[in-house]
Amino acid sequence: MTINARFFASLRERTGHASVAIDATAVSTVSDVWVSVTGEDPGEEVLVAINKEYADFEATVCDGDEVAFFPPITGG
């Protein structure tokens, strides 16, 4: 039972991972996934999606979910 956490752009560099498999029995929310990889509380600047749909850090995660973390998108 796993959850696949993916990190994009500067978050990939920050965490040192592009993708990490997390034991689904050890986490219940997106925040838990973030903390299990980084050891830090999530910052407000991080965007998240579960199975390609935007979510927040309190959203529940389930076995087989893909949780993607993105830095904020800026334009110019």
Side-chain angles (χ1 to χ4, degrees):
M1 295 184 11
T2 61
I3 294 167
N4 187 33
R6 299 186 66 197
F7 300 89
F8 292 90
S10 61
L11 296 180
R12 179 181 297 163
E13 295 169 12
R14 178 175 163 186
T15 64
H17 302 285
S19 180
V20 177
I22 306 293
D23 179 5
T25 61
V27 297
S28 60
T29 66
V30 171
S31 182
D32 294 338
V33 172
W34 177 265
V35 171
S36 73
V37 175
T38 67
E40 305 171 354
D41 288 331
E44 292 180 19
E45 73 280 359
V46 177
L47 302 175
V48 65
I50 300 173
N51 301 323
K52 299 181 181 177
E53 292 190 26
Y54 284 111
D56 61 38
F57 276 88
E58 297 310 312
T60 301
V61 293
C62 301
D63 180 37
D65 281 348
E66 176 186 75
V67 181
F69 297 97
F70 307 88
I73 300 169
T74 60

